[in-house]
Amino acid sequence: MAFEYEQAEARVTVHNDPEFLEFHARRLVEMAGNIIMGYLLLNDVQREHHYWKTLEVFLRFARGKNTAHAAFLSHSTLNDLGKYKYE
């Protein structure tokens, strides 16, 4: 998931456009949050094994969400920004 996040972040920042970054910031934050939560749960599992099932369930959910966000980011362009604005 970390590699997928790095690629998504690079796709957004390469344009050097603050509006494009702001548009995708929530998705990037959610991706990063899922990675951090995964690491925190992994630490819990190392201390107490009964958290293993929770980690497995969370990772399946987080991978799916991160993959969806990464796919959206990879297909998004600067030209798309106007399509999401109210007039």
PDB file of all heavy atoms in Angstrom, residues 9-23:
ATOM      1  N   GLU A   9       0.729   9.900  -4.939  1.00  0.00           N
ATOM      2  CA  GLU A   9       1.191  11.229  -4.516  1.00  0.00           C
ATOM      3  C   GLU A   9       2.051  11.865  -5.612  1.00  0.00           C
ATOM      4  O   GLU A   9       1.927  13.056  -5.889  1.00  0.00           O
ATOM      5  CB  GLU A   9       1.971  11.100  -3.211  1.00  0.00           C
ATOM      6  CG  GLU A   9       2.294  12.415  -2.553  1.00  0.00           C
ATOM      7  CD  GLU A   9       3.751  12.795  -2.717  1.00  0.00           C
ATOM      8  OE1 GLU A   9       4.572  11.918  -3.031  1.00  0.00           O
ATOM      9  OE2 GLU A   9       4.050  13.976  -2.535  1.00  0.00           O
ATOM     10  N   ALA A  10       2.877  11.087  -6.267  1.00  0.00           N
ATOM     11  CA  ALA A  10       3.712  11.602  -7.349  1.00  0.00           C
ATOM     12  C   ALA A  10       2.856  12.054  -8.528  1.00  0.00           C
ATOM     13  O   ALA A  10       3.158  13.087  -9.159  1.00  0.00           O
ATOM     14  CB  ALA A  10       4.713  10.545  -7.797  1.00  0.00           C
ATOM     15  N   ARG A  11       1.777  11.318  -8.833  1.00  0.00           N
ATOM     16  CA  ARG A  11       0.892  11.708  -9.942  1.00  0.00           C
ATOM     17  C   ARG A  11       0.216  13.037  -9.680  1.00  0.00           C
ATOM     18  O   ARG A  11      -0.061  13.790 -10.605  1.00  0.00           O
ATOM     19  CB  ARG A  11      -0.171  10.635 -10.168  1.00  0.00           C
ATOM     20  CG  ARG A  11       0.308   9.471 -10.962  1.00  0.00           C
ATOM     21  CD  ARG A  11      -0.863   8.552 -11.319  1.00  0.00           C
ATOM     22  NE  ARG A  11      -0.433   7.193 -11.116  1.00  0.00           N
ATOM     23  CZ  ARG A  11      -0.840   6.390 -10.149  1.00  0.00           C
ATOM     24  NH1 ARG A  11      -1.747   6.777  -9.293  1.00  0.00           N
ATOM     25  NH2 ARG A  11      -0.361   5.175 -10.037  1.00  0.00           N
ATOM     26  N   VAL A  12      -0.078  13.310  -8.423  1.00  0.00           N
ATOM     27  CA  VAL A  12      -0.771  14.557  -8.078  1.00  0.00           C
ATOM     28  C   VAL A  12       0.207  15.724  -8.023  1.00  0.00           C
ATOM     29  O   VAL A  12      -0.084  16.809  -8.530  1.00  0.00           O
ATOM     30  CB  VAL A  12      -1.514  14.407  -6.729  1.00  0.00           C
ATOM     31  CG1 VAL A  12      -2.057  15.734  -6.257  1.00  0.00           C
ATOM     32  CG2 VAL A  12      -2.638  13.394  -6.877  1.00  0.00           C
ATOM     33  N   THR A  13       1.361  15.522  -7.433  1.00  0.00           N
ATOM     34  CA  THR A  13       2.297  16.639  -7.243  1.00  0.00           C
ATOM     35  C   THR A  13       3.092  16.979  -8.497  1.00  0.00           C
ATOM     36  O   THR A  13       3.638  18.079  -8.577  1.00  0.00           O
ATOM     37  CB  THR A  13       3.265  16.348  -6.084  1.00  0.00           C
ATOM     38  OG1 THR A  13       3.960  15.136  -6.345  1.00  0.00           O
ATOM     39  CG2 THR A  13       2.522  16.264  -4.762  1.00  0.00           C
ATOM     40  N   VAL A  14       3.147  16.083  -9.460  1.00  0.00           N
ATOM     41  CA  VAL A  14       3.925  16.350 -10.677  1.00  0.00           C
ATOM     42  C   VAL A  14       3.362  17.556 -11.439  1.00  0.00           C
ATOM     43  O   VAL A  14       4.100  18.264 -12.116  1.00  0.00           O
ATOM     44  CB  VAL A  14       4.006  15.093 -11.579  1.00  0.00           C
ATOM     45  CG1 VAL A  14       2.675  14.802 -12.253  1.00  0.00           C
ATOM     46  CG2 VAL A  14       5.103  15.248 -12.607  1.00  0.00           C
ATOM     47  N   HIS A  15       2.075  17.812 -11.309  1.00  0.00           N
ATOM     48  CA  HIS A  15       1.451  18.920 -12.029  1.00  0.00           C
ATOM     49  C   HIS A  15       1.772  20.280 -11.418  1.00  0.00           C
ATOM     50  O   HIS A  15       1.598  21.301 -12.073  1.00  0.00           O
ATOM     51  CB  HIS A  15      -0.068  18.738 -12.087  1.00  0.00           C
ATOM     52  CG  HIS A  15      -0.484  17.505 -12.816  1.00  0.00           C
ATOM     53  ND1 HIS A  15      -0.322  17.355 -14.174  1.00  0.00           N
ATOM     54  CD2 HIS A  15      -1.043  16.354 -12.374  1.00  0.00           C
ATOM     55  CE1 HIS A  15      -0.767  16.171 -14.543  1.00  0.00           C
ATOM     56  NE2 HIS A  15      -1.204  15.534 -13.464  1.00  0.00           N
ATOM     57  N   ASN A  16       2.223  20.282 -10.171  1.00  0.00           N
ATOM     58  CA  ASN A  16       2.550  21.522  -9.471  1.00  0.00           C
ATOM     59  C   ASN A  16       1.384  22.508  -9.521  1.00  0.00           C
ATOM     60  O   ASN A  16       1.565  23.696  -9.761  1.00  0.00           O
ATOM     61  CB  ASN A  16       3.833  22.143 -10.036  1.00  0.00           C
ATOM     62  CG  ASN A  16       4.467  23.109  -9.067  1.00  0.00           C
ATOM     63  OD1 ASN A  16       4.243  23.033  -7.866  1.00  0.00           O
ATOM     64  ND2 ASN A  16       5.251  24.035  -9.596  1.00  0.00           N
ATOM     65  N   ASP A  17       0.180  22.004  -9.307  1.00  0.00           N
ATOM     66  CA  ASP A  17      -1.036  22.810  -9.339  1.00  0.00           C
ATOM     67  C   ASP A  17      -1.741  22.692  -7.988  1.00  0.00           C
ATOM     68  O   ASP A  17      -2.229  21.618  -7.637  1.00  0.00           O
ATOM     69  CB  ASP A  17      -1.954  22.317 -10.461  1.00  0.00           C
ATOM     70  CG  ASP A  17      -3.183  23.175 -10.644  1.00  0.00           C
ATOM     71  OD1 ASP A  17      -3.954  23.330  -9.664  1.00  0.00           O
ATOM     72  OD2 ASP A  17      -3.382  23.685 -11.762  1.00  0.00           O
ATOM     73  N   PRO A  18      -1.796  23.782  -7.224  1.00  0.00           N
ATOM     74  CA  PRO A  18      -2.400  23.723  -5.885  1.00  0.00           C
ATOM     75  C   PRO A  18      -3.868  23.292  -5.905  1.00  0.00           C
ATOM     76  O   PRO A  18      -4.316  22.581  -5.001  1.00  0.00           O
ATOM     77  CB  PRO A  18      -2.273  25.149  -5.357  1.00  0.00           C
ATOM     78  CG  PRO A  18      -1.236  25.799  -6.196  1.00  0.00           C
ATOM     79  CD  PRO A  18      -1.242  25.101  -7.507  1.00  0.00           C
ATOM     80  N   GLU A  19      -4.606  23.681  -6.916  1.00  0.00           N
ATOM     81  CA  GLU A  19      -6.019  23.307  -6.988  1.00  0.00           C
ATOM     82  C   GLU A  19      -6.179  21.803  -7.212  1.00  0.00           C
ATOM     83  O   GLU A  19      -7.047  21.163  -6.631  1.00  0.00           O
ATOM     84  CB  GLU A  19      -6.711  24.083  -8.108  1.00  0.00           C
ATOM     85  CG  GLU A  19      -8.206  23.906  -8.128  1.00  0.00           C
ATOM     86  CD  GLU A  19      -8.878  24.751  -9.195  1.00  0.00           C
ATOM     87  OE1 GLU A  19      -8.189  25.330 -10.050  1.00  0.00           O
ATOM     88  OE2 GLU A  19     -10.124  24.808  -9.158  1.00  0.00           O
ATOM     89  N   PHE A  20      -5.321  21.240  -8.043  1.00  0.00           N
ATOM     90  CA  PHE A  20      -5.352  19.799  -8.305  1.00  0.00           C
ATOM     91  C   PHE A  20      -4.971  19.036  -7.037  1.00  0.00           C
ATOM     92  O   PHE A  20      -5.614  18.042  -6.694  1.00  0.00           O
ATOM     93  CB  PHE A  20      -4.389  19.469  -9.453  1.00  0.00           C
ATOM     94  CG  PHE A  20      -4.527  18.092 -10.015  1.00  0.00           C
ATOM     95  CD1 PHE A  20      -5.660  17.715 -10.719  1.00  0.00           C
ATOM     96  CD2 PHE A  20      -3.515  17.166  -9.863  1.00  0.00           C
ATOM     97  CE1 PHE A  20      -5.795  16.445 -11.261  1.00  0.00           C
ATOM     98  CE2 PHE A  20      -3.632  15.897 -10.397  1.00  0.00           C
ATOM     99  CZ  PHE A  20      -4.778  15.536 -11.094  1.00  0.00           C
ATOM    100  N   LEU A  21      -3.961  19.516  -6.331  1.00  0.00           N
ATOM    101  CA  LEU A  21      -3.555  18.889  -5.071  1.00  0.00           C
ATOM    102  C   LEU A  21      -4.674  18.981  -4.035  1.00  0.00           C
ATOM    103  O   LEU A  21      -4.980  18.003  -3.349  1.00  0.00           O
ATOM    104  CB  LEU A  21      -2.282  19.539  -4.533  1.00  0.00           C
ATOM    105  CG  LEU A  21      -1.777  19.028  -3.193  1.00  0.00           C
ATOM    106  CD1 LEU A  21      -1.453  17.540  -3.259  1.00  0.00           C
ATOM    107  CD2 LEU A  21      -0.557  19.807  -2.762  1.00  0.00           C
ATOM    108  N   GLU A  22      -5.306  20.133  -3.942  1.00  0.00           N
ATOM    109  CA  GLU A  22      -6.399  20.308  -2.985  1.00  0.00           C
ATOM    110  C   GLU A  22      -7.568  19.380  -3.314  1.00  0.00           C
ATOM    111  O   GLU A  22      -8.199  18.816  -2.418  1.00  0.00           O
ATOM    112  CB  GLU A  22      -6.881  21.755  -2.992  1.00  0.00           C
ATOM    113  CG  GLU A  22      -7.966  22.038  -1.992  1.00  0.00           C
ATOM    114  CD  GLU A  22      -8.413  23.490  -2.017  1.00  0.00           C
ATOM    115  OE1 GLU A  22      -7.635  24.350  -2.476  1.00  0.00           O
ATOM    116  OE2 GLU A  22      -9.546  23.745  -1.594  1.00  0.00           O
ATOM    117  N   PHE A  23      -7.846  19.210  -4.600  1.00  0.00           N
ATOM    118  CA  PHE A  23      -8.942  18.346  -5.032  1.00  0.00           C
ATOM    119  C   PHE A  23      -8.698  16.899  -4.598  1.00  0.00           C
ATOM    120  O   PHE A  23      -9.619  16.195  -4.209  1.00  0.00           O
ATOM    121  CB  PHE A  23      -9.101  18.430  -6.555  1.00  0.00           C
ATOM    122  CG  PHE A  23     -10.184  17.548  -7.100  1.00  0.00           C
ATOM    123  CD1 PHE A  23     -11.523  17.823  -6.840  1.00  0.00           C
ATOM    124  CD2 PHE A  23      -9.872  16.455  -7.871  1.00  0.00           C
ATOM    125  CE1 PHE A  23     -12.528  17.007  -7.347  1.00  0.00           C
ATOM    126  CE2 PHE A  23     -10.873  15.640  -8.380  1.00  0.00           C
ATOM    127  CZ  PHE A  23     -12.202  15.917  -8.123  1.00  0.00           C
TER     128      PHE A  23
END
